[in-house]
Structures are given as C-alpha cells and as structure tokens.
C-alpha cells in the first residue's frame, strides 16, 4: 500500500482494530449498523509521515451536524485569540487577507474580524459555519481544495496567511491541499498550521490521538519533506502546549531562511528515532499494556462499589472506549458540556452522554478523565469534587488513580 502523501512504501506498526467514527454520536434508539473503520497506523519509508491505512468517508465525518466545537474549552479559546494576535503581527501588506481552513465556530477568525481585517473561513460543517457567521465572521460551507482556492482567489485576491488548526491532518489527499495553497497564497505569504505532534504521542503514549479524523500524525521531519515535494519549505516550527502537545508549522515559498528551530526539532526527532520502526513498535507495545491496565483499574473501581463517570465525551474517547472494550457496564455515563452530544450515546460503545449534574449530590465518586488535554482547566473547575475526595482515573501519561 503506497503512502497517501508521497507514494513510497508504508509499514504498519499498530492495529487498533475496527473502530466507529470518533464523532458519530447517535441516538440510543438508533439500531442501524454503525460504520466502522480498521484503525491501523503506518509509517512511510519515504516522507516519514505517520498515517492511517485507510481514510474514513469525509462526508460522514464532517457533516452539517458535526459536533466538535472549538469554544468548548476556555483554554482553547484563549489560545486562538492569542493566535489571531500573532497572525495579525505578521501581516505586512496594506489590505491583507487571512484564510482559515477548518474555521469551525469562528473562535480564531472572530478576533481577526474584530480588527476589521479581510478574512474568510472555509469549513464543511454547516452548523459551525452558521455559528461563526453569528459571531461576525465571514465563513462558508465548503471543502478546501484547488477549485475552492481558485474561487476564493478570484473573489478576494491572494491570501497573506492561510491558517489551519487540527485540520490539515484530517485531509488524506495532501496533493489537493497543496494545489489549493499554491493557488491561493500570495507569493510572499505563509501557510501556518498546527496539529497533534507525533513526538508527544510517543512520549505520552497518547494513543487516543489516533482516530479516523487524525489521518496524519505530523512531525517536523515529515512536514519538511512533504512541503519540499510541493514547492514549499518548512521555515518555522513551534511546540504548543495545547491538545496534548502540538507542533505549529510555518511554510513559505519565497526563499526565506528557516529559523534555527526547524533544524533543532528535526535533529531531536532523528536522535530519538521517532520515525524508526523499532521506536514505533515500542509505542505499540505500550499501547497494548495500557489497555489491560486501564481495564483493570476500572473493573476494580466498579467492584469496590464506586460510581464512575466519564469526564468529557471527546473524539479521542472513542478510541479508548472501543479499543479497551469499555461499555455502559463499566462506565454508565459520560458528562459533557456540548449540547450536540448530550442525550446521545457514544459511537460503538453506546454510553449515554449527559450534561454535568447541576446537583452536586449526583456527582460520581470517580471520574475517568477523557479530557486529559484540558486537565488544568478541568481541575480548576472541579475544586469542589476534588476537595470532597473525588477520584480521577487517568490514562495519559500513564494509567493511575487518585
Ligand atoms: P477535546 O479534547 O477538544 O476533544 P477531541 O478529542 O474531540 O478533540 O475536548 C472537547 C470535548 O470535551 C467537548 O465535547 C467538550 C468537552 N469538555 C467538557 O465537557 N468540559 C470541559 O471542561 C472541557 C474543557 C471540555
């Protein structure tokens, strides 16, 4: 099977089995067959990018009712407001134009719009586009590809910055993406994108970062090679302490010198052998061990009569629940703040998703923390639960309870 990015051979290092789509929350009375995808992780011998063996059906994944909402985390909202400031500081032309691919509910672009800067958000999820528009953002329901890029350029002119957060890794066909970037970007402009970082996934064994939407797990090594294949260069890289560890990549095609960080991060990846089969197989063995340990902890909690509930019905939780075989018997409910998820059951594992109890007496004894990437924000919110002796089960960076 060839690499979706460069066509070279790929090698499998992890098989998480048949998994439903991570955000396919459904009604409890829906008995129709659930779509499933065999989640296998591969590494490319050529461009080194880590990828899934097969892509999911994009129309089923990013549909009009797509439930993920950027603004569901206060920390992420602050991150994107700060990002907007950074982008604005990098604008140099008199009447700049900023495009965001996968603009979701407009959290980032709202801060660009507030400054009166020309912008456009492109996202296939109609409900999120509506929400962005209601915040004063110029956004459209569309897929980003060469045709969308050409239409956008005809209407608005070239983009100074094309930005994407947790979106480029969703798109298996990078050729279409790069054709679009080539068409839409002003010659001296930059493409800036961020997403979950392979180095952090290996370090934390955060195997729940692997699900249908995260088709690629990028690294600086892979992005530098992919960019070169398409006439771009990786000119800057920055580690972000959000979503469990991400890298932000800056690409340009105007011959500018890369920042020293690019070589530093690539050298670290190389030194740690992050793309070597030996290292990836160690990771795979750690994933298998973690499944057994997490199940043991949950079973023990259940046996001792404690009430356990899930904290946040994240996309990532779908991998954990289905890979570890956790269903309503071990975890009767997951609480989540997203209205679109509440009242539904989780994909594959069919655990009810409910709003957090307003009556503190209804709180469980123990929370299984699926929103581990938002730990600081969640712990600050749940002081009362903690002070009362509430327990947390975590599975990243290792399985522990307390
Ligand atoms: P996130 O890690 O961004 O999800 P994903 O794995 O899909 O990328 O977490 C977002 C989800 O977590 C969303 O369903 C809302 C929920 N959530 C809470 O319920 N409470 C909280 O305090 C936070 C921060 C998130």
């Amino acid at each position: 099977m060839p690499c979706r990015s460069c066509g070279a051979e790929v090698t499998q290092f992890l098989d998480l089995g048949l998994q439903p789509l991570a955000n396919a929350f459904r009604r409890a009375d829906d008995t129709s067959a659930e779509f499933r995808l065999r989640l296998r992780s591969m590494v490319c011998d050529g461009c080194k990018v880590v990828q899934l063996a097969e892509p999911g059906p994009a129309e089923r994944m990013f549909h009009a009712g797509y439930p993920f909402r950027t603004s569901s985390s206060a920390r992420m909202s602050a991150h994107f407001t700060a990002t907007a400031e950074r982008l604005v500081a990098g604008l140099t032309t008199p009447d700049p134009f900023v495009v965001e691919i996968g603009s979701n509910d407009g959290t980032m672009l709202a801060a660009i719009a507030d400054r009166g800067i020309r912008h456009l958000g492109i996202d296939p999820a109609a409900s999120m586009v509506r929400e962005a528009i209601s915040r004063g953002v110029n956004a459209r329901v569309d897929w980003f590809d060469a045709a969308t890029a050409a239409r956008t350029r005809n209407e608005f002119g070239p983009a100074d910055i094309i930005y994407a957060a947790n979106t480029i890794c969703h798109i298996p066909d990078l050729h279409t993406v790069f054709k679009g970037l080539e068409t839409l970007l002003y010659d001296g402009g930059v493409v800036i994108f961020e997403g979950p970082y392979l180095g952090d996934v290996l370090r934390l064994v955060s195997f729940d970062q692997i699900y249908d939407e995260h088709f690629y797990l990028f690294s600086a090594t892979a992005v530098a090679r992919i960019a070169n294949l398409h006439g771009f260069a990786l000119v800057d890289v920055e580690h972000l302490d959000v979503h469990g560890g991400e890298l932000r990549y800056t690409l340009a095609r105007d011959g500018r010198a890369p920042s020293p960080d690019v070589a530093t991060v690539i050298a670290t990846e190389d030194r740690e052998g992050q793309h070597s089969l030996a290292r990836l197989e160690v990771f795979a063995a750690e994933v298998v061990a973690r499944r057994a340990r997490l199940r043991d902890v949950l079973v023990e909690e259940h046996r001792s009569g404690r009430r356990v509930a899930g904290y946040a019905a994240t996309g990532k939780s779908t991998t954990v629940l289905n890979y570890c075989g956790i269903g309503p018997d071990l975890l009767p409910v997951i609480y989540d703040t997203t209205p679109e998820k509440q009242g539904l059951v989780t994909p594959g594992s069919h655990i009810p998703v409910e709003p957090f109890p307003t009556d503190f007496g209804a709180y469980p004894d123990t929370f299984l923390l699926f929103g581990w990437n938002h730990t600081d924000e969640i712990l600050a919110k749940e002081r009362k639960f903690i002070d009362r002796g509430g327990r947390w089960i975590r599975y990243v960076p290792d399985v522990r309870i307390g």
Side-chain angles (χ1 to χ4, degrees):
M1 184 187 318
C3 168
R4 297 264 166 185
S5 159
C6 74
E9 213 172 295
V10 294
T11 310
Q12 179 177 320
F13 62 90
L14 178 67
D15 185 352
L16 292 172
L18 274 182
Q19 296 268 355
L21 302 177
N23 273 307
F25 295 85
R26 51 149 62 192
R27 289 169 50 137
D29 60 0
D30 184 349
T31 52
S32 64
E34 255 173 314
F35 179 86
R36 282 178 194 265
L37 184 76
R38 180 100 178 264
L39 267 193
R40 285 176 296 157
S41 291
M42 330 286 281
V43 62
C44 171
D45 296 345
C47 70
K48 300 294 174 195
V49 71
V50 166
Q51 61 201 276
L52 296 181
E54 32 173 331
E59 277 81 10
R60 277 180 102 128
M61 292 156 63
F62 308 111
H63 47 82
Y66 181 63
F68 178 83
R69 205 184 273 263
T70 301
S71 60
S72 65
S73 155
R75 168 93 196 285
M76 290 313 296
S77 295
H79 167 74
F80 287 116
T81 306
T83 297
E85 265 163 45
R86 280 277 294 277
L87 298 189
V88 170
L91 294 169
T92 51
T93 61
D95 180 22
F97 177 44
V98 176
V99 172
E100 183 175 7
I101 308 172
S103 45
N104 195 263
D105 60 10
T107 301
M108 197 291 284
L109 281 181
I112 299 279
D114 283 350
R115 291 171 168 84
I117 293 167
R118 289 191 308 126
H119 63 276
L120 180 68
I122 299 170
D123 197 301
S127 56
M128 293 304 150
V129 166
R130 267 198 306 278
E131 193 148 324
I133 290 170
S134 75
R135 299 168 111 183
V137 166
N138 189 20
R140 286 186 187 164
V141 180
D142 223 332
W143 301 89
F144 183 78
D145 56 21
T148 305
R151 271 198 311 277
T152 306
R153 183 172 178 137
N154 283 341
E155 191 175 339
F156 297 90
D160 295 71
I161 296 179
I162 302 177
Y163 173 74
N166 307 304
T167 303
I168 303 298
C169 66
H170 290 185
I171 312 176
D173 185 358
L174 292 179
H175 298 281
T176 306
V177 172
F178 273 93
K179 261 195 214 122
L181 297 176
E182 233 168 71
T183 304
L184 183 54
L185 192 72
Y186 145 68
D187 285 342
V190 288
V191 176
I192 301 176
F193 70 97
E194 58 204 56
Y197 177 40
L198 174 68
D200 288 306
V201 172
L202 298 182
R203 186 172 56 81
L204 301 170
V205 197
S206 44
F207 66 98
D208 57 349
Q209 294 281 19
I210 302 171
Y211 57 93
D212 57 305
E213 294 178 16
H214 290 176
F215 184 81
Y216 292 109
L217 260 185
F218 288 123
S219 58
T221 302
V223 170
R225 292 185 188 200
I226 293 166
N228 286 343
L229 292 173
H230 297 277
F232 282 84
L234 176 63
V235 297
D236 200 10
V237 71
E238 183 190 352
H239 189 264
L240 304 174
D241 188 23
V242 293
H243 275 321
E246 299 201 320
L247 277 193
R248 175 179 282 169
Y249 309 93
T250 303
L251 312 185
R253 55 174 172 181
D254 56 4
R256 69 180 75 180
S259 84
D261 293 344
V262 173
T264 307
V265 176
I266 289 176
T268 304
E269 292 175 356
D270 205 34
R271 197 174 55 246
E272 294 178 359
Q274 288 181 15
H275 307 87
S276 73
L277 205 52
R279 174 67 187 93
L280 294 167
E281 282 172 347
V282 166
F283 165 74
E286 288 170 332
V287 173
V288 174
R290 199 157 286 198
R291 164 168 63 178
R293 173 111 178 85
L294 178 57
R295 272 197 64 88
D296 286 350
V297 166
L298 258 184
V299 167
E300 185 47 39
E301 205 63 0
H302 193 65
R303 254 198 226 122
S304 38
R306 293 200 186 86
R307 283 185 311 133
V308 186
Y311 201 107
T314 58
K316 292 184 290 297
S317 73
T318 298
T319 293
V320 178
L321 294 167
N322 289 280
Y323 176 66
C324 301
I326 300 168
D329 50 334
L330 282 179
L331 193 67
V333 64
I334 302 181
Y335 297 121
D336 192 282
T337 55
T338 311
E340 287 86 348
K341 296 180 185 177
Q342 296 165 353
L344 301 179
V345 297
T346 55
S349 48
H350 300 172
I351 298 172
V353 180
E354 291 176 11
F356 285 85
T358 44
D359 167 17
F360 193 68
Y363 256 54
D365 302 303
T366 307
F367 270 125
L368 171 49
L369 183 57
F370 291 118
W372 58 267
N373 46 314
H374 303 298
T375 296
D376 292 348
E377 181 174 344
I378 289 172
L379 294 188
K381 228 192 265 188
E382 301 298 350
R383 284 271 32 120
K384 205 168 157 190
F385 171 73
I386 296 162
D387 292 345
R388 200 199 60 177
R391 292 151 68 86
W392 298 92
I393 300 173
R394 300 166 206 241
Y395 55 88
V396 173
D398 44 38
V399 179
R400 62 172 101 130
I401 178 152

